[in-house]
Amino acid sequence: MERAEVFEAVHGYLFSLYQRGLVDGVRVDHIDGLTAPAAYCQRLRTRLDALARLRPESALPGVAIYVEKILATDESLPAAWPVEGTTGYDFMDQVSAVLHDARAAPVLDRLWAACGPDAKACGLIARAARAQLLAGGFAAEFGHLTRLLATALKARGADCTPAADLRAVLEAVLVSFTLYRTYFGDEVMQDHAEDVAASTAARPRLAAQLQPVLDTVVSILSARPEHAPTACVRRAEQAFEHLTAPLAAKSTEDTAFYRYGRLISRNEVGSDPARLGLAVADFHAGCTTRARAHPAAMLTTATHDHKRGEDSRARRAVLSEMAPRWCAQVGEWFARNGAETAIGPDRIDELMLYQTMLGAWPLTPFASEGAREAWCERIVQWQTKALREAKRHTNWLDPDMAYEEACTAFVRRLVANPAFMAQMERVVAQIAPAGALNGLAQTLLRLTTPGVPDLYQGCDLWDFSLVDPDNRRPVDFGLRHALLEHAGSFDASAATWRTGQVKLDLIRRILSFRARYPDLFARGHYQPLAVEGADRDHAIAFLRQHDGFSLLVVAPRLPLGMEIQADTLALGRDMALRVTLPQPVGPWHSLLGALPVQAAVPFTRGQVPLVCLVHDAGGRGLP
């Protein structure tokens, strides 16, 4: 891409689409695979801005550029990239984490530890996966990088470093490197602090005599263009930057996420499974930062690459509210459902299977034996992929068919067992209403917090999909059209929530309002609101304000403790919480139908606890 003729050839068709006004933005996939992402983004921005001046007057002005970039918890999108933001994995992590109860971690940790010697901490599992991949799938790249580093060391006069020492140091750095990559070879980048964490984490793993080698290696891998690095140093640096991104993806998303099973709703692209939950204040901090730095960033909760559907994650999040009961239930299943053959599944694979079945369980009873069998086949397909991705007992290159067949037989035996299926159905019935409310809260936050909401195909109704190819099944657009045609009140939709109409209605109402008042969302100030009272942990509240408009949003969290009614999703008890508004405003108009008595007391017994109110101080009228 850094070659002008290649850049023009690859982007020619895209540029023609944009110039004709047929597209208004682009999504750059796997941007960390480029040699110089910042330089590429700047070139792309320059070309598209020039074409924008040639577009028909009727076309929308400007262009949006989004990049698929996985950010670590404390990592920011490089300021040198002239883009609107990421494709939204960072938001997907934040909104999922804030709906989990972090207090459940010790209880879930005990269940996880009981699954055997492989049930280790998430960080240890990820590091072991990195080491395994360096010795296996990435052995050629690792060897190539080692040779390039040896050449660079020799050019610096350090040619006496034993090959084994250099390999040990480089492996320690790569295993400890938690980000996707550095950008030292990108001339437009200014901030280059990414190497510090890796070298610091690698240092305790190395003997004293290897510390000088580590310092030299880090200096080579962090050589800046302005320091005029030699050609051999530059090649080593590029090889390192081209290895860390795929190594991170394969070791974390495609290996550790299938090995670490404490609560798999947190094993999602862009997430850190070791962090079970997120405080509301930290969620607000993320929204505030995004509003300041990338107000038009994309917000997503589902993609073609997600491991689990957005509503299945929301349902599993409820388990964090009932961790002792869940652990007791799993313990009973462990005792009763033990594999009939010695080759298993083992406890880790069994625990992840139960969570998967629970998340993908349908909201209505199986209509026929054929429907049950089709669901079972989806679970079997997921399990085979999960086992191979984990690379513990089997893998893609050398599958252990005996273990895979034993695991498949175990699934089929469970599905054919009426007692087990009745137990699973009871557990789902206990948490499904709260899980649905979590899914609606997730949707509401995606539609109203700073950024541009991304709606993945099919997710306008409940999404209990599994990893691809399950999340790429055909979408029934006829059903969605029929539901839109018969849309009624929000409360009526909530009374039939199992159809998914309530989620579709929520999306329809807020997107319609966004379309009519875009500046409130594109430029509106984001103000977190304090929630007081004994039930304050059950709400996330904020204001969006612009040009006299005020949008008050209060989303529920930890809904199991709110006694949600199974048939209507309405509150089953009075809530002790109040929202502190910055100044008296009103009257309020509800985008979801019925008006509460007062905005300061947003959740009322008998109503669905979702609040989206708007006030127009200019008296211009509201739809």
Side-chain angles (χ1 to χ4, degrees):
M1 285 302 108
E2 63 271 16
R3 299 181 181 181
E5 64 274 18
V6 175
F7 180 90
E8 292 297 329
V10 169
H11 294 79
Y13 184 58
L14 165 65
F15 292 154
S16 72
L17 292 175
Y18 179 71
Q19 189 170 356
R20 286 179 283 158
L22 298 179
V23 298
D24 296 297
V26 297
R27 177 192 191 275
V28 183
D29 202 37
H30 298 296
I31 192 165
D32 277 336
L34 295 172
T35 298
Y40 167 81
C41 288
Q42 291 192 3
R43 174 178 286 178
L44 182 61
R45 171 66 70 188
T46 299
R47 288 288 279 112
L48 289 172
D49 284 349
L51 291 173
R53 295 189 285 271
L54 303 177
R55 282 174 55 150
E57 291 183 0
S58 60
L60 294 173
V63 60
I65 301 176
Y66 294 101
V67 293
E68 188 193 35
K69 167 66 178 169
I70 304 299
L71 297 170
T73 301
D74 298 321
E75 185 183 9
S76 300
L77 196 63
W81 296 6
V83 300
E84 269 59 41
T86 72
T87 54
Y89 288 127
D90 41 343
F91 174 79
M92 185 160 70
D93 172 39
Q94 294 163 4
V95 76
S96 176
V98 79
L99 298 178
H100 283 71
D101 191 343
R103 295 170 296 187
V107 179
L108 295 174
D109 282 341
R110 287 193 291 273
L111 172 64
W112 174 238
C115 289
D118 286 348
K120 299 175 181 176
C122 185
L124 293 176
I125 290 175
R127 284 197 291 271
R130 285 172 175 265
Q132 180 182 352
L133 287 165
L134 285 173
F138 289 99
E141 291 85 350
F142 185 38
H144 177 62
L145 174 58
T146 305
R147 290 188 293 273
L148 290 175
L149 274 172
T151 302
L153 285 171
K154 185 175 181 179
R156 288 193 173 194
D159 56 344
C160 59
T161 303
D165 288 354
L166 178 58
R167 191 175 180 88
V169 167
L170 184 57
E171 180 179 2
V173 171
L174 287 167
V175 167
S176 303
F177 195 80
T178 57
L179 303 182
Y180 264 59
R181 62 167 284 180
T182 57
Y183 305 98
F184 290 99
D186 198 333
E187 296 188 9
V188 251
M189 290 287 289
Q190 300 298 321
D191 183 9
H192 298 286
E194 294 90 344
D195 68 308
V196 177
S199 61
T200 302
R203 199 170 295 280
R205 297 185 174 88
L206 295 172
Q209 67 269 23
L210 296 182
Q211 301 295 328
V213 182
L214 173 63
D215 294 333
T216 305
V217 167
V218 169
S219 69
I220 291 173
L221 299 179
S222 57
R224 302 190 184 190
E226 61 265 28
H227 296 157
T230 61
C232 58
V233 168
R234 185 71 185 96
R235 284 193 291 270
E237 188 177 62
Q238 285 183 343
F240 178 77
E241 294 183 341
H242 283 163
L243 174 56
T244 57
L247 178 62
K250 294 301 294 182
S251 64
T252 304
E253 301 167 24
D254 296 337
T255 303
F257 281 9
Y258 294 97
R259 293 181 178 180
Y260 183 67
R262 179 178 67 173
L263 190 59
I264 61 175
S265 49
R266 293 294 298 132
N267 296 17
E268 194 51 84
V269 182
S271 300
D272 178 6
R275 182 178 68 171
L276 180 61
L278 184 69
V280 173
D282 292 329
F283 177 79
H284 284 315
C287 292
T288 302
T289 299
R290 188 169 61 252
R292 180 182 66 252
H294 296 96
M298 191 174 285
L299 310 179
T300 193
T301 47
T303 75
H304 64 291
D305 280 334
H306 69 235
K307 305 300 181 186
R308 291 146 192 104
E310 62 182 36
D311 295 303
S312 65
R313 291 196 307 272
R315 177 189 289 174
R316 292 189 192 99
V318 179
L319 296 177
S320 68
E321 296 186 68
M322 49 174 283
R325 277 186 286 163
W326 167 245
C327 293
Q329 179 63 77
V330 171
E332 181 181 339
W333 284 336
F334 279 166
R336 292 188 176 184
N337 301 332
E340 292 180 336
T341 62
I343 56 175
D346 67 9
R347 285 288 186 253
I348 289 177
D349 293 333
E350 191 177 350
L351 175 61
M352 297 182 80
L353 172 63
Y354 293 143
Q355 295 179 65
T356 298
M357 297 176 83
L358 180 144
W361 194 273
L363 284 170
T364 54
F366 293 106
S368 64
E369 189 59 35
R372 183 192 297 261
E373 181 60 27
W375 179 83
C376 179
E377 288 304 315
R378 291 175 55 211
I379 299 297
V380 167
Q381 183 183 51
W382 163 84
Q383 184 185 57
T384 301
K385 177 170 182 171
L387 294 173
R388 293 182 179 183
E389 294 284 21
K391 295 175 278 292
R392 295 175 56 244
H393 300 290
T394 183
N395 58 68
W396 292 105
L397 297 179
D398 185 23
D400 184 334
M401 299 308 298
Y403 186 79
E404 292 182 10
E405 289 169 2
C407 291
T408 296
F410 183 73
V411 172
R412 298 194 188 283
R413 182 160 61 88
L414 290 179
V415 175
N417 183 339
F420 169 78
M421 294 294 278
Q423 279 187 320
M424 179 64 76
E425 189 167 23
R426 284 195 293 272
V427 175
V428 173
Q430 292 172 9
I431 68 173
L437 196 58
N438 265 343
L440 294 177
Q442 179 176 248
T443 301
L444 178 63
L445 293 169
R446 188 182 78 236
L447 294 171
T448 55
T449 54
V452 177
D454 175 35
L455 178 63
Y456 183 62
Q457 57 182 17
C459 291
D460 37 11
L461 298 182
W462 300 124
D463 172 30
F464 302 117
S465 63
L466 304 169
V467 71
D468 66 274
D470 193 71
N471 61 12
R472 304 178 190 185
R473 288 176 294 160
V475 176
D476 187 347
F477 290 107
L479 171 62
R480 285 153 177 80
H481 180 76
L483 291 174
L484 284 172
E485 286 291 311
H486 297 91
S489 69
F490 186 76
D491 286 340
S493 297
T496 58
W497 62 270
R498 289 176 176 82
T499 66
Q501 171 104 36
V502 64
K503 184 179 179 184
L504 183 69
D505 196 33
L506 174 67
I507 295 169
R508 175 183 62 84
R509 288 168 179 265
I510 298 181
L511 287 187
S512 296
F513 184 75
R514 285 185 67 111
R516 186 158 180 174
Y517 302 100
D519 287 347
L520 176 61
F521 297 91
R523 299 179 177 84
H525 175 66
Y526 179 87
Q527 181 174 356
L529 297 179
V531 181
E532 301 172 340
D535 290 322
R536 59 185 176 276
D537 289 341
H538 290 287
I540 305 169
F542 59 88
L543 277 177
R544 302 296 306 276
Q545 293 181 305
H546 177 74
D547 192 27
F549 279 103
S550 296
L551 180 75
L552 171 64
V553 175
V554 188
R557 66 184 294 266
L558 310 183
L560 193 65
M562 301 168 73
E563 299 180 12
I564 302 302
Q565 299 300 292
D567 292 332
T568 63
L569 300 184
L571 274 174
R573 67 177 180 88
D574 294 323
M575 299 292 292
L577 61 83
R578 291 180 59 85
V579 173
T580 303
L581 299 174
Q583 67 276 331
V585 290
W588 293 97
H589 174 82
S590 175
L591 299 184
L592 304 181
L595 286 169
V597 176
Q598 52 180 320
V601 186
F603 294 163
T604 305
R605 183 173 184 171
Q607 292 187 346
V608 179
L610 290 164
V611 172
C612 194
L613 307 176
V614 64
H615 168 68
D616 177 15
R620 286 157 290 193
L622 292 166

